[in-house]
């Protein structure tokens, strides 16, 4: 309070904000960490913690800057290379993400060294699985998935990744084996299950197993009758089985639902370049086009629960609520916006906000 903060108190201050972080007071920990770095920009450990807090807040570009500062002072930190790889992948910087993975593999002595006894091997392989998948590096993805499966043959995520890698490499028999094993163990509502079922159907079609592929696609459409790609694949199966006239209505339905598919593809592309808020908006638009209004709102709610300081996503949510005439919810979200951004921020005093006021 007196304005005198000796640098020697750095470890004590770091312990304080670390405790705040562990107690769930992330906003306070981030504010105090950034304030300390204004006084002492060389406080290495503060850069590490602030980077973690910014990453969890969805501010990936800023997080990367702090991880980079930490890595300069701790070049042998394997954890920081994992954090850099994940952060760069979240921003869509594939080159830097894979470069950070290369550095992590070098520190781990993977794949040709004595990496097996390293205490951070599991965490590093798990990060490598996620980042290589997100960066479309399927050769690396196959290598990492095989290594994880050697250590734990029943790992479902590794089975899924190995199947996806094999599909992109054109090894459809191997892809079928791993994707089938994943689907046999995955819970019905588990994340990515529908995408993997779609991949599995494609793998079956590539091998001429059209009748089983039809069963898989029918199950997808029973769960989601607004799935354009499943209609298209089902029509292809019917055509190849010699029923082109039966296939035509499914082709027509796929064309009718094409706007949904466009938004879903757009969401994937936006997420791949680190545009999380815009990706959520595209996903919500696809859900709205499919008349899945509850799902559209849930997409925004879940994202904002995870990243409460993603002001861009909250703005898109308010726009969506206005378009859906949910004025009470829109006013509530605007009040949250005002509390976080202030009364004079453009998103608070803009045209849509004035409609609510």
């Amino acid at each position: 309070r007196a304005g005198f903060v000796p640098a020697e108190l750095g470890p004590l201050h770091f312990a304080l904000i670390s405790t705040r972080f562990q107690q769930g007071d992330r906003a306070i920990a981030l504010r105090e960490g950034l304030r300390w770095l204004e006084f002492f920009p060389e406080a290495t450990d503060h850069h590490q913690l602030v980077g973690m807090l910014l990453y969890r807040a969805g501010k990936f570009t800023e997080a990367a800057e702090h991880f980079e500062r930490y890595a300069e002072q701790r070049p042998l930190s394997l954890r920081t290379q994992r954090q850099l790889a994940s952060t760069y992948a979240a921003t869509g910087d594939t080159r830097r993400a894979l470069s950070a993975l290369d550095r992590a593999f070098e520190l781990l002595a993977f794949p040709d060294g004595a990496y097996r006894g390293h205490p951070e091997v599991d965490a590093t392989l798990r990060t490598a699985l996620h980042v290589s998948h997100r960066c479309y590096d399927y050769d690396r993805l196959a290598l990492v998935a095989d290594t994880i499966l050697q250590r734990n043959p029943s790992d479902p995520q590794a089975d899924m990744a190995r199947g996806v890698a094999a599909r992109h490499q054109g090894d459809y028999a191997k892809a079928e084996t791993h994707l089938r094993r994943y689907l046999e163990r995955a819970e019905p509502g588990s994340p990515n299950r529908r995408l993997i079922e779609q991949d599995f159907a494609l793998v079956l079609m590539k091998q001429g197993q059209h009748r089983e592929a039809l069963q898989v696609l029918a199950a997808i459409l029973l769960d989601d009758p607004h799935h354009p790609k499943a209609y298209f694949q089902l029509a292809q199966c019917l055509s190849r089985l010699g029923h082109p006239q039966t296939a035509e209505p499914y082709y027509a339905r796929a064309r009718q639902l094409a706007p949904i598919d466009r938004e879903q593809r757009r969401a994937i592309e936006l997420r791949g370049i680190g545009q999380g808020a815009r990706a959520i908006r595209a996903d919500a638009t696809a859900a709205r086009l499919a008349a899945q209004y509850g799902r559209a709102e849930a997409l925004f709610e879940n994202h904002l629960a995870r990243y409460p300081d993603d002001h861009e996503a909250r703005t898109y949510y308010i726009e969506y609520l206005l378009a859906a005439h949910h004025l009470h919810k829109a006013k509530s979200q605007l009040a949250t916006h005002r509390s976080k951004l202030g009364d004079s921020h453009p998103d608070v005093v803009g045209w849509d906000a004035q409609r609510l006021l």
Side-chain angles (χ1 to χ4, degrees), residues 14-26 29 49 53:
F14 178 76
L16 173 65
I17 61 173
S18 296
T19 302
R20 289 284 198 182
F21 169 59
Q22 293 163 5
Q23 292 174 341
D25 298 330
R26 296 176 184 173
L49 183 57
L53 289 163

Side-chain angles (χ1 to χ4, degrees), residues 198-211:
Q198 190 175 302
D199 271 1
F200 184 54
L202 179 60
V203 165
L204 293 172
M205 290 169 59
K206 290 288 187 180
Q207 298 179 97
Q209 301 176 44
H210 297 106
R211 294 191 182 280

Side-chain angles (χ1 to χ4, degrees), residues 121-172:
V121 61
D122 289 329
T124 304
L125 290 175
R126 191 62 57 186
T127 298
L129 197 72
H130 168 74
V131 171
S132 54
H133 193 176
R134 188 159 189 171
C135 294
Y136 312 110
D137 188 343
Y138 296 111
D139 290 338
R140 190 191 303 253
L141 182 64
L143 171 64
V144 174
D146 280 337
T147 304
I148 293 175
L149 288 169
Q150 289 170 8
R151 297 169 64 84
N152 179 12
S154 61
D155 188 293
Q157 296 302 313
D159 261 329
M160 178 183 72
R162 189 63 185 92
V164 170
R167 181 178 81 77
H168 284 276
Q169 292 170 330
D171 190 345
Y172 299 117

Side-chain angles (χ1 to χ4, degrees), residues 21 42 81 84 113 126 154 198 206 219 280 285 291 347 351:
F21 169 59
E42 301 303 319
Q81 295 304 322
L84 280 170
R126 191 62 57 186
S154 61
Q198 190 175 302
K206 290 288 187 180
I280 291 295
T285 301
D347 288 340
W351 181 77

Side-chain angles (χ1 to χ4, degrees), residues 158-196:
D159 261 329
M160 178 183 72
R162 189 63 185 92
V164 170
R167 181 178 81 77
H168 284 276
Q169 292 170 330
D171 190 345
Y172 299 117
K174 183 179 284 292
E176 179 189 349
T177 298
H178 288 281
L179 294 180
R180 190 185 295 277
R181 283 172 49 181
Y182 169 77
L183 291 170
E184 286 172 352
R185 294 195 299 266
E187 295 293 329
S190 57
N192 299 321
R193 182 183 175 93
R194 188 176 296 160
L195 290 173
I196 298 305

Side-chain angles (χ1 to χ4, degrees), residues 31-353:
R31 184 179 68 241
E32 293 299 324
L34 289 170
R35 183 169 176 268
W36 185 269
L37 288 172
E38 289 179 6
F39 288 99
F40 306 108
E42 301 303 319
T44 306
D45 290 334
H46 281 69
H47 281 294
Q48 169 81 12
L49 183 57
V50 167
M52 289 173 57
L53 289 163
L54 288 168
Y55 182 90
R56 296 195 178 204
K59 300 179 180 179
F60 303 119
T61 301
E62 297 173 43
E65 294 174 0
H66 289 278
F67 289 141
E68 288 165 0
R69 293 289 298 273
Y70 186 86
E72 289 174 3
Q73 300 300 319
R74 303 284 193 274
L76 300 181
S77 171
L78 184 53
R79 179 178 67 167
T80 306
Q81 295 304 322
R82 291 198 302 270
Q83 290 169 327
L84 280 170
S86 296
T87 306
Y88 288 140
T91 64
D93 193 336
T94 299
R95 182 185 63 80
R96 287 187 176 182
L98 295 178
S99 177
L101 267 190
D102 286 337
R103 177 59 177 157
F105 284 173
E106 180 183 343
L107 293 171
L108 186 64
F110 176 82
D112 299 321
Y115 67 89
R116 293 172 182 81
H118 197 288
E120 296 184 59
V121 61
D122 289 329
T124 304
L125 290 175
R126 191 62 57 186
T127 298
L129 197 72
H130 168 74
V131 171
S132 54
H133 193 176
R134 188 159 189 171
C135 294
Y136 312 110
D137 188 343
Y138 296 111
D139 290 338
R140 190 191 303 253
L141 182 64
L143 171 64
V144 174
D146 280 337
T147 304
I148 293 175
L149 288 169
Q150 289 170 8
R151 297 169 64 84
N152 179 12
S154 61
D155 188 293
Q157 296 302 313
D159 261 329
M160 178 183 72
R162 189 63 185 92
V164 170
R167 181 178 81 77
H168 284 276
Q169 292 170 330
D171 190 345
Y172 299 117
K174 183 179 284 292
E176 179 189 349
T177 298
H178 288 281
L179 294 180
R180 190 185 295 277
R181 283 172 49 181
Y182 169 77
L183 291 170
E184 286 172 352
R185 294 195 299 266
E187 295 293 329
S190 57
N192 299 321
R193 182 183 175 93
R194 188 176 296 160
L195 290 173
I196 298 305
E197 287 175 335
Q198 190 175 302
D199 271 1
F200 184 54
L202 179 60
V203 165
L204 293 172
M205 290 169 59
K206 290 288 187 180
Q207 298 179 97
Q209 301 176 44
H210 297 106
R211 294 191 182 280
E212 187 178 357
L214 273 176
Q215 295 175 354
V216 174
L217 292 166
I220 293 174
L221 290 170
L222 279 173
D223 183 53
D224 179 9
H226 303 284
H227 199 298
K229 190 174 291 185
Y231 280 109
F232 181 77
Q233 288 180 329
L234 190 146
Q236 284 187 312
C237 280
L238 290 169
S239 295
R240 291 171 185 177
L241 287 168
H243 305 290
Q245 292 182 336
T246 307
E248 186 53 40
Y250 295 103
Y251 279 126
R253 182 61 173 156
R255 289 192 294 270
Q256 183 183 13
L257 294 174
I260 298 175
D261 187 50
R262 182 182 64 244
E263 293 297 333
Q264 290 173 338
R265 289 174 179 273
R266 186 163 173 263
I268 293 171
E269 293 170 359
L270 289 168
R271 197 167 284 111
I273 60 173
Q275 298 289 330
R278 294 173 63 195
I280 291 295
R281 181 172 63 170
D283 276 332
T285 301
R288 178 179 59 78
L289 289 170
Q292 298 173 339
Y293 304 110
R295 180 173 177 271
E297 287 193 29
L299 286 166
F300 282 114
E301 293 284 358
N302 293 337
H303 179 80
L304 290 170
R306 188 176 180 186
Y307 304 116
D309 294 327
D310 190 340
H311 306 307
E312 185 181 10
R314 196 176 299 278
T315 299
Y316 292 147
Y317 188 27
I318 293 171
E319 291 175 353
Y320 173 82
L321 291 170
L322 273 171
H325 303 291
H326 293 172
L327 300 183
H328 179 73
K329 286 186 177 181
K331 287 181 180 180
S332 175
Q333 290 296 324
L334 181 61
T336 302
H337 234 13
R338 181 180 291 106
S339 68
K340 290 178 176 291
L341 301 177
D343 292 336
S344 61
H345 193 277
D347 288 340
V348 173
V349 298
W351 181 77
D352 282 335

